[in-house]
Structure formats: structure tokens, C-alpha cells
Amino acid sequence: MKKVRVAVIGFGNIGYHAVQAILAAPDMELAGIIRREGATDQPLPWVTFIDENTDISVLGKVDVALLCKPSIQIEEYAKKYLSQGIHTVDSFDIHSSIVNLRHSLDDVAKKNKAVSIIAAGWDPGIDSVVRAIFEAAAPVGITYTNFGPGMSMGHSVVARSKEGVEDAISITIPLGTGVHRRMVYVQLKENASFEKVSNAIKQDEYFCHDETHIIEVADVSALADKGHGVHMTRKGRSGSSDNQIFNFEMRIHNPALTAQIMVSCARACTRRQPGAYTMIEIPMIDLLPGDKDAIIAKLV
Amino acid sequence: MKKVRVAVIGFGNIGYHAVQAILAAPDMELAGIIRREGATDQPLPWVTFIDENTDISVLGKVDVALLCKPSIQIEEYAKKYLSQGIHTVDSFDIHSSIVNLRHSLDDVAKKNKAVSIIAAGWDPGIDSVVRAIFEAAAPVGITYTNFGPGMSMGHSVVARSKEGVEDAISITIPLGTGVHRRMVYVQLKENASFEKVSNAIKQDEYFCHDETHIIEVADVSALADKGHGVHMTRKGRSGSSDNQIFNFEMRIHNPALTAQIMVSCARACTRRQPGAYTMIEIPMIDLLPGDKDAIIAKLV
């Protein structure tokens, strides 16, 4: 069996866990890890690390580039690799920009006969697929997505950016019906005013619409585990029958899950026609290794 | 917008609810209902009923035939319509025969440039898609599918078939880890022996592997609502991270849900290349009406 050769682009939380998922996949090979210029440590001695300015061809044939980078940089990185005919997978998570990213990458992917699977994580990602299942099963009704308890990366970054903040994390607490409380733990810089920091966070666009509590702590790093979760629920109507109830719930290690889904999507890249896809546009069987009949016999 | 014209084949529980789901779909038209020979009542005066020996062309152009028939008859009916170039959807539920049915219908579908979506219900069906998501998200681990509480059609039919039984229903009770209790309520014929009936049921292949309780009642029809449910759970490993927990649960009107999923799959037939597919082989977006970008913006 020819293995799918995957390069990991970026070696933060997601990149680290992507490597673990690739090594565990029976049908994949880690081609190498591409880091930003200047990183010189060698945390995995048996893996080839190159920096971003080195031509990726030194890693040999690469089938898929896993873009373990912040959302804001995804379009640039995806185009770089797609234009070389290398499939890409990302976990771009700015929901309001997914349609535009898809159109933009679709063009580049088709021109270069490559596949790009975008927004491949848990939300957007498998939660999106479950929301689609819910709608197909009960077309009339309301779906609520309730996140947490768990650390929100985006909200934590915003809290950290405020003047006087040494470190901060924002924990998302689900209150039901898609309403969330934000518990923000801040570690202040010397002489910083808690009141000023607290007001700056509460007035930020990221926090001002939600119930937000700011709590001062001596050491933020003692609070932050990487567990997270979601509970999605739909009550709806199938045909003329009301009160159809659906629930989906996960309690997961956040970066490990995101990375695993990206790696499963890397496999799907090799099975699709050129173009850009979100996860609701690909059949779930394409995420799984092995023989089609065997998968159908086991799971259907 | 050109509407998808759907004919309903069979007018039992599923057929009735399929009609409701088609009427509620913004992009579909009910072409007519095809019943077995001899049925003469006209329960929906504004719908064209024809019998099975009448040429389906009297209903005008039919895009999709929804096969609301017992599993055992699906292959025959599917081939009949596929060979006329009409897409088919069924809720064939004999898990061990799905791979063979798929191969058999795939040939006929491709020869006639038609699409057949098979095993489209809740299990097999959307449960299958969720099991695939679970595996993609945590490739190492165990998934348990726990059915009920709710009436099992297959087990009820077997209980009814025993000598001395006037009527019977079998209720599936989930005990966890995929283990089920069977509560069988029997209404005996005059002079029938409860002990004989009870032994015959308990020894049947359908019941002998499960904890089975037989209870005599005066009137089975007073017990049987059509609600059902499932709880699927997986604990597994993503990459090298253990203890990833996933749950999916539904509490639903059984025939209404099955029919709705079949109708959503009828839509998907018009968007696929010729061939036969199980639900894990089709993208979930194909089940939904409307513009692709709008669906992605809403659900992803």
C-alpha cells in the first residue's frame, strides 16, 4: 500500500498532536515538520524539521500539507502549498469567513489539481456535520450549540492583549440554548489596576455580549487544562411529526481532537476531485482508512 | 426552480410519513403513490394512487422512487425502478446484507445512469454516519449502540409468528454497552398455552441471545406507541490522547424519522454520479435543500 505522505506546517499545540495522529495512522507517513524561521531546537530527533523558507521538495514527495497555523494566516499558507499541487487541510475557525475562504481556495486548488479541506476541526468541523444531520432528520426546528466548559483560545488571546495583563485565560461555560458565560482569570502586571483591566475586557466586542466574570489570580498557568466539550441539541419536526429530540455531546482534549480530525481529512484529500471543501461536503467514509466494503460492513 | 418529483412505493407506516415529508419539502413534488394490487381505498383524495402493475409513466416524469417496503423486497423493487432510470431510496435494514445489496444495485444503477441510496434510515442511516464520525475523531476505541426504549419491528414480527399468538410486540430496553433486554408482550389465541408460546419465543434466534421477558396481556394494541430512541457512545484515542468521550442520542417517532431521512436522501440522489451509495458515502450537504453557500454559512 502506498502511504499518504503528510507534512505538518507549524509546531504548536495542534502541530504536535497532528504528528501523534499521523504516526498512529496505518496508511500515513510523516514527511517532515515545517517551522517558522529561527526555531532551532529538535524536539523529535528522528523527524526532519525544515524552516519555512526551505523548499518543501527537500522532504521528498509530499501529498498533503497540514496547516497547523492561526486562522488569520491560513489563506496565505494554503495558497502557497496548493499552488505547488500539494493538498492542504486547515482548521480555519472564523465562521463568518468560511464561505469566502472556500471560494478563494477552490480556484487555486482546481487550477493546480489539488484538494483543500477547510475548517476541519470540531467546530467548525464534525459539529458542522452533526448540525447537517440534525437538519436532514428534522428540517423544521432549532439547533443549539453549547460549548464548554473549556478554555476559549480566541477569548484568552483577547484578554491577554489588554494593558496591565501578564497572562489570562477565558473559560467558556455553557448556560444552555447557545448562551455562554465567560470566566476570565487574569494575572496582573506589577502595579496594574484590576479595575481598569476588568473594564477593558468587559467592554471588548469578544466579551460585551456575554455574562463575563473577571477574577484575579496569582498564576494563570496553574488553571489551564486543555480539556473542552460541546453539547448540541435539536428539537424539531420530521415530516408532520413534532418533538423529535437529538443530542450530540463530546468531552475531549481540544488540540488532540482538532489535530486528529485534520489528519483524517488529509486522507480524504487523496480521494476527492480537485477543489476546496468543508466537512459537510465530503462523505464520512473518506475520513477512514482501509477497504470500503469492510468499513461499510463494520459501520453501516 | 425545478422540483424533484418523488413517487412513494408502498403505503404503510413509512409510506404515510414519507408523503408528509415530501409535502413539507420546499423543493419536492409528490408524483404519486404506488400500492400493492387490490388496495382500493383513497385515504388522500388529492393524490394519485396507482397499483404496482400500472406503468409508473402514468405519474409523469418521476425522478426518485422511495421504496417504503420491507427489507426482504427491496432488491427486487430497486432493480425494477433503477432499470427504468429512476433513482431509488430505501431503508433496507438487514445489516449483514448491506454490502451485497450495494454491489448488486450499483451495477444496475450505473447501467441505467441512476442513483440508489440504500440503508437510509436511522440505523442503518444517520447512526452509521455518526459511527463514522466517531471513528474519524478517535480511531482507537469502542463504540456502543444502545437502542430503545422502543418497539422493535423485526422482533415483534418474529414474536407474532409463533403458534398460539394473536398479537405481540417486543420492546427493546437498552442495558448499556450494546446489551439489550427484550420485553415481549403477547396476546394469546383462545386456548393457547402461555408456556409453549413463551418457550417458542425465548428459543428463537432473534431472542435466545438476549435477556427476554414474556408477559401476557389482554390487548397488545393498547401498549404500542411509535416512539423510539438510541444512545451511541464512544470512548477512544485521538493521536496519542486517550479518554476522548463522544455521545449521540435521539428520542424520535420511528417511522416519521425513517421517512424523513429517506426523503432527504431523495434530494441527494439528484446530486450524485450514477451508482449505489450508503449514507456514509454521501456528503451531508447533499441532504439539504437550498443554496450551497447559504448552507455552509449557516451550518459550518
Side-chain angles (χ1 to χ4, degrees), chain A residues 28-232:
Chain A
M28 292 192 185
E29 238 170 53
L30 179 62
I33 299 172
I34 301 182
R35 287 188 296 183
R36 64 173 175 276
E37 224 180 345
T40 54
D41 60 317
Q42 179 53 299
L44 307 171
W46 37 275
V47 177
T48 308
F49 282 83
I50 62 175
D51 85 19
E52 291 183 354
N53 298 323
T54 305
D55 193 318
I56 192 171
S57 68
V58 304
L59 298 180
K61 163 84 175 147
V62 171
D63 299 304
V64 189
L66 274 197
L67 310 180
C68 305
K69 288 284 185 178
S71 290
I72 198 90
Q73 299 173 20
I74 289 300
E75 186 165 4
E76 180 195 340
Y77 279 93
K79 286 180 174 172
K80 172 178 171 179
Y81 294 107
L82 289 172
S83 65
Q84 298 173 67
I86 297 171
H87 308 313
T88 64
V89 177
D90 65 66
S91 59
F92 182 86
D93 69 352
I94 306 170
H95 287 263
S96 57
S97 303
I98 289 171
V99 168
N100 287 342
L101 179 67
R102 183 179 164 284
H103 282 295
S104 162
L105 298 188
D106 194 52
D107 288 341
V108 184
K110 281 176 176 157
K111 265 181 205 139
N112 296 281
K113 296 196 169 49
V115 171
S116 180
I117 299 182
I118 71 167
W122 57 284
D123 203 316
I126 58 177
D127 283 4
S128 316
V129 179
V130 172
R131 283 190 285 268
I133 294 172
F134 282 3
E135 295 242 339
V140 173
I142 300 174
T143 299
Y144 293 113
T145 302
N146 304 292
F147 294 108
M151 186 177 65
S152 163
M153 294 287 245
H155 288 79
S156 298
V157 167
V158 169
R160 259 172 232 141
S161 73
K162 300 301 173 192
E163 202 184 316
V165 175
E166 179 69 37
D167 199 1
I169 56 170
S170 176
I171 309 289
T172 306
I173 307 293
L175 303 181
T177 60
V179 177
H180 297 94
R181 177 187 300 143
R182 310 286 170 189
M183 299 295 293
V184 186
Y185 298 87
V186 292
Q187 180 179 334
L188 297 182
K189 286 185 174 153
E190 231 180 277
N191 301 322
S193 150
F194 175 74
E195 204 190 330
K196 277 191 188 162
V197 164
S198 181
N199 286 338
I201 293 172
K202 284 187 177 173
Q203 284 160 23
D204 191 282
E205 181 66 20
Y206 261 67
F207 292 96
C208 67
H209 307 289
D210 298 333
E211 180 192 328
T212 300
H213 301 260
I214 322 282
I215 297 145
E216 188 180 347
V217 296
D219 179 10
V220 158
S221 69
L223 307 179
D225 87 315
K226 292 178 184 126
H228 216 313
V230 70
H231 178 206
M232 292 165 53

Side-chain angles (χ1 to χ4, degrees), chain B:
Chain B
M1 182 182 60
K2 203 182 147 289
K3 296 200 170 185
V4 180
R5 285 179 55 80
V6 185
V8 173
I9 319 299
F11 198 61
N13 263 325
I14 308 272
Y16 171 81
H17 287 282
V19 168
Q20 305 299 318
I22 292 163
L23 296 176
D27 56 345
M28 291 192 186
E29 240 169 49
L30 179 62
I33 299 172
I34 300 184
R35 287 188 297 183
R36 63 172 175 277
E37 224 182 342
T40 54
D41 59 317
Q42 179 51 297
L44 306 172
W46 38 274
V47 177
T48 307
F49 283 83
I50 63 174
D51 85 17
E52 291 183 355
N53 298 322
T54 304
D55 193 319
I56 193 171
S57 67
V58 304
L59 298 180
K61 162 86 175 145
V62 172
D63 299 304
V64 189
L66 275 197
L67 310 180
C68 305
K69 289 284 186 179
S71 290
I72 198 91
Q73 298 173 22
I74 288 301
E75 185 165 3
E76 179 195 342
Y77 278 94
K79 287 181 174 172
K80 173 179 172 180
Y81 294 108
L82 290 172
S83 64
Q84 298 174 65
I86 297 171
H87 308 314
T88 64
V89 177
D90 64 65
S91 60
F92 183 87
D93 69 352
I94 305 170
H95 287 263
S96 57
S97 303
I98 289 171
V99 169
N100 286 342
L101 179 67
R102 182 179 166 283
H103 282 294
S104 163
L105 298 188
D106 193 53
D107 288 341
V108 184
K110 282 177 176 157
K111 266 183 204 139
N112 295 281
K113 296 194 170 51
V115 171
S116 181
I117 300 182
I118 71 166
W122 56 284
D123 203 315
I126 57 177
D127 282 4
S128 316
V129 179
V130 172
R131 281 190 286 266
I133 293 172
F134 281 3
E135 295 240 342
V140 172
I142 300 174
T143 298
Y144 294 113
T145 301
N146 304 291
F147 294 107
M151 186 175 66
S152 162
M153 293 288 244
H155 287 80
S156 298
V157 167
V158 169
R160 260 173 230 139
S161 74
K162 300 300 174 193
E163 202 185 315
V165 175
E166 179 68 38
D167 199 1
I169 55 169
S170 175
I171 309 289
T172 306
I173 308 293
L175 303 181
T177 58
V179 177
H180 297 93
R181 178 188 297 143
R182 311 283 170 190
M183 299 295 293
V184 186
Y185 298 87
V186 292
Q187 180 179 332
L188 296 183
K189 286 185 176 154
E190 232 179 276
N191 300 323
S193 150
F194 175 74
E195 203 190 329
K196 277 190 187 161
V197 163
S198 181
N199 286 337
I201 293 172
K202 284 187 176 173
Q203 285 161 22
D204 190 283
E205 182 65 20
Y206 262 67
F207 292 96
C208 66
H209 307 289
D210 299 332
E211 180 193 329
T212 299
H213 301 259
I214 321 283
I215 297 145
E216 188 180 347
V217 295
D219 179 10
V220 158
S221 68
L223 307 179
D225 87 314
K226 291 177 184 125
H228 215 314
V230 71
H231 177 205
M232 291 164 55
T233 179
R234 183 175 184 84
K235 177 171 69 61
R237 178 191 299 156
S238 309
S240 59
S241 297
D242 294 311
N243 207 32
Q244 307 281 71
I245 307 282
F246 305 85
N247 285 286
F248 177 75
E249 192 203 29
M250 300 189 283
R251 300 294 150 195
I252 42 83
H253 184 285
N254 190 349
L257 182 65
T258 301
Q260 178 67 63
I261 292 165
M262 291 177 74
V263 169
S264 296
C265 285
R267 179 177 295 123
C269 285
T270 66
R271 300 169 175 178
R272 302 268 86 207
Q273 294 298 309
Y277 303 86
T278 59
M279 285 187 74
I280 66 172
E281 297 168 88
I282 57 178
M284 288 299 101
I285 196 171
D286 284 3
L287 303 181
L288 302 174
D291 173 68
K292 205 171 210 182
D293 278 357
I295 297 172
I296 293 172
K298 180 184 176 192
L299 297 181
V300 180

